[in-house]
Amino acid sequence: MSALNINSANFAAEVMNSDRPVLLDFWAPWCGPCRMVAPIVEEIAAERPDIKVGKVNVDEQPELARQFGVSSIPTLVVMKEGRITNQAMGARPKSQILALL
């Protein structure tokens, strides 16, 4: 499975009401570190059917970025049962991203 594009229209259904933990990647196309993290996030989405992986383009979804207090990208947020359980800013290797889960 690949990462889902999360926006204000599908946020409640895909994230808040998810029956699995959700890894959200807040990113933008112009962000170099985001481009480094993107293939890792896609890899995790393909390898881990037990979690849902979503990508939030902060340029297209500024209200979601504000809601999560995203001030720097990439920002990774882990949510379980509609609550933030972990959060990290900046590019990270796969092992550190998996450790957030």
Side-chain angles (χ1 to χ4, degrees):
M1 201 166 144
S2 63
L4 302 165
N5 281 321
I6 301 297
N7 56 49
S8 54
N10 69 3
F11 179 77
E14 296 292 352
V15 178
M16 297 305 285
N17 299 326
S18 177
D19 58 347
R20 298 175 282 169
V22 181
L23 172 64
L24 291 175
D25 174 20
F26 288 85
W27 69 287
W30 48 263
C31 164
C34 298
R35 289 195 300 268
M36 292 167 36
V37 169
I40 298 169
V41 169
E42 288 292 343
E43 205 174 281
I44 292 170
E47 294 172 355
R48 296 284 304 268
D50 59 317
I51 63 167
K52 190 180 283 190
V53 178
K55 296 178 69 65
V56 180
N57 182 328
V58 297
D59 289 341
E60 295 173 357
Q61 302 298 320
E63 66 285 346
L64 281 179
R66 264 193 303 281
Q67 183 179 332
F68 281 85
V70 173
S71 59
S72 177
I73 53 175
T75 291
L76 299 168
V77 175
V78 177
M79 297 192 65
K80 294 178 183 166
E81 298 173 1
R83 292 188 323 275
I84 297 172
T85 58
N86 221 334
Q87 193 166 341
M89 282 191 284
R92 297 173 180 279
K94 185 176 179 180
S95 61
Q96 287 184 15
I97 294 172
L98 288 172
L100 295 170
L101 300 168

